Amino acid sequence: MADGGAAKALDSMDKLHGTSNFVNFAAYSWNIFRYIGDYLHLGGIITLLITIVKNKSVAGISRTTQILYCMVFVTRYLDLFDHTQSLYLVFFKLTYITTSVITLVFFHQFNSTYERRHDTCNMTVIVAPCAFAAILLTNDYSLLEVLWTFSEFIEGFAMVPQYIFCYRDRNNKDVGTSLYVVMLGGYRVFYALNWIYKKINMPRYSDIQSWIGGVVEIMFFMDFLNYRFTGNSVLRSMVLKVDTKINEISDKVELKVLGTQSRTERIETEGGEMRRRRKQDDGPMEDV
């Protein structure tokens, strides 16, 4: 029976990573790049919470990004109920879930400080394609595996609303918010180095879902760093135009579905800030 159980475990690992020695795989998984990435991630979350509490405000922070991260942690860490894990993993997983919920509670508590005009990213445009990709590209059609794959794709785009927020809010120079964004981006960079390290040492190692999400997030992060420190950006103009267009389409769909006689026009200023104007059929336009 013991041999059969070992063979079953090996088959499962082979399915995900190809024929390999499990002991070596586990050893290579726990490397310096992963540890640095984990603690950058944790440090970024702590920085975010301290910034909110210190300022008694959620100004400069995208609520959409925080909702997406909450979705990432809840869907990814359901394996806490599936098998026994090390104290290190349990601590980080429970911490990520708890702090993501606390952050959303802060948004409710400091709702009057939330800058909706900058947080314009349409969450459906991120969630729907990621859900489809998870179903299409999952390694196994079990609930935990599909949700884990979904979380990997979602994480690749979770910071995009925050980047859009920062692109539109050009006057926000809060150190805490900037440090949070940099630490979250740095976490993904070190996780990418972790993947490269494992691939070099174990050529059969493969984790396509994580790699796709990681490449997307690192690409946005590097462009954001370039924008923040030099004022130049390759993606900013394109991202804002796409975001504006998506919101215009969303407003038109909402108008048709609700059948209202008024509609909301979104106007993008030269600096990238979004302003809303409600146009009545028989009245002048005015700022809301």
Side-chain angles (χ1 to χ4, degrees), residues 185-206:
Y187 138 69
R188 292 302 278 180
V189 169
F190 275 95
Y191 252 62
L193 294 175
N194 156 62
W195 298 329
I196 293 171
Y197 174 82
K198 287 194 290 186
K199 185 66 176 177
I200 291 173
N201 287 280
M202 299 191 68
R204 291 184 178 273
Y205 160 67
S206 178

Side-chain angles (χ1 to χ4, degrees), residues 7-25:
K8 184 177 181 180
L10 182 61
D11 290 341
S12 177
M13 185 57 66
D14 288 345
K15 181 180 178 182
L16 291 174
H17 307 292
T19 304
S20 59
N21 182 286
F22 179 74
V23 175
N24 287 341
F25 177 78

Side-chain angles (χ1 to χ4, degrees), residues 267-279:
I267 301 175
E268 183 174 342
T269 66
E270 184 177 351
E273 179 180 341
M274 291 292 289
R275 299 178 63 191
R276 290 171 174 256
R277 305 174 81 184
R278 184 166 296 281
K279 181 178 179 182

Side-chain angles (χ1 to χ4, degrees), residues 57-284:
S57 167
V58 292
I61 304 167
S62 167
R63 183 172 61 186
T64 304
T65 282
Q66 301 309 315
I67 292 173
L68 290 174
Y69 267 122
C70 189
M71 293 175 62
V72 167
F73 300 142
V74 171
T75 55
R76 179 178 299 172
Y77 298 143
L78 289 174
D79 63 355
L80 284 168
F81 304 100
D82 182 57
H83 59 276
T84 303
Q85 302 175 38
S86 69
L87 183 60
Y88 179 92
L89 288 176
V90 172
F91 167 76
F92 272 88
K93 291 179 180 182
L94 290 179
T95 299
Y96 291 153
I97 293 173
T98 303
T99 53
S100 67
V101 173
I102 291 174
T103 303
L104 293 178
V105 170
F106 279 145
F107 268 90
H108 176 74
Q109 183 177 354
F110 302 121
N111 184 62
S112 61
T113 66
Y114 172 48
E115 300 171 306
R116 290 173 175 79
R117 67 186 183 281
H118 299 312
D119 199 9
T120 58
C121 184
N122 190 314
M123 189 162 54
T124 304
V125 175
I126 294 177
V127 174
C130 288
F132 178 76
I135 295 172
L136 191 66
L137 300 176
T138 184
N139 287 312
D140 181 55
Y141 285 97
S142 65
L143 178 62
L144 287 181
E145 186 66 25
V146 172
L147 289 177
W148 178 86
T149 305
F150 172 73
S151 76
E152 289 294 303
F153 287 130
I154 283 288
E155 188 172 20
F157 295 93
M159 285 297 289
V160 171
Q162 182 65 55
Y163 295 143
I164 292 176
F165 192 112
C166 293
Y167 287 150
R168 296 198 185 284
D169 187 15
R170 304 182 74 174
N171 296 322
N172 185 358
K173 304 297 182 181
D174 185 83
V175 175
T177 303
S178 297
L179 185 58
Y180 161 71
V181 174
V182 170
M183 293 181 81
L184 263 290
Y187 138 69
R188 292 302 278 180
V189 169
F190 275 95
Y191 252 62
L193 294 175
N194 156 62
W195 298 329
I196 293 171
Y197 174 82
K198 287 194 290 186
K199 185 66 176 177
I200 291 173
N201 287 280
M202 299 191 68
R204 291 184 178 273
Y205 160 67
S206 178
D207 191 358
I208 299 298
Q209 298 92 335
S210 297
W211 296 348
I212 293 174
V215 168
V216 170
E217 187 166 359
I218 290 172
M219 177 181 66
F220 276 104
F221 174 59
M222 292 302 179
D223 183 75
F224 173 78
L225 285 182
N226 185 42
Y227 170 72
R228 178 61 74 184
F229 292 109
T230 70
N232 300 316
S233 171
V234 176
L235 298 177
R236 178 180 181 273
S237 178
M238 178 193 71
V239 169
L240 292 184
K241 286 180 181 178
V242 171
D243 180 57
T244 301
K245 191 64 178 179
I246 289 173
N247 280 290
E248 288 176 353
I249 294 173
S250 176
D251 285 342
K252 290 178 180 178
V253 171
E254 183 180 347
L255 174 66
K256 289 184 178 179
V257 171
L258 298 179
T260 56
Q261 293 184 348
S262 63
R263 64 187 177 87
T264 300
E265 291 189 336
R266 299 174 185 266
I267 301 175
E268 183 174 342
T269 66
E270 184 177 351
E273 179 180 341
M274 291 292 289
R275 299 178 63 191
R276 290 171 174 256
R277 305 174 81 184
R278 184 166 296 281
K279 181 178 179 182
Q280 306 289 341
D281 291 344
D282 299 316

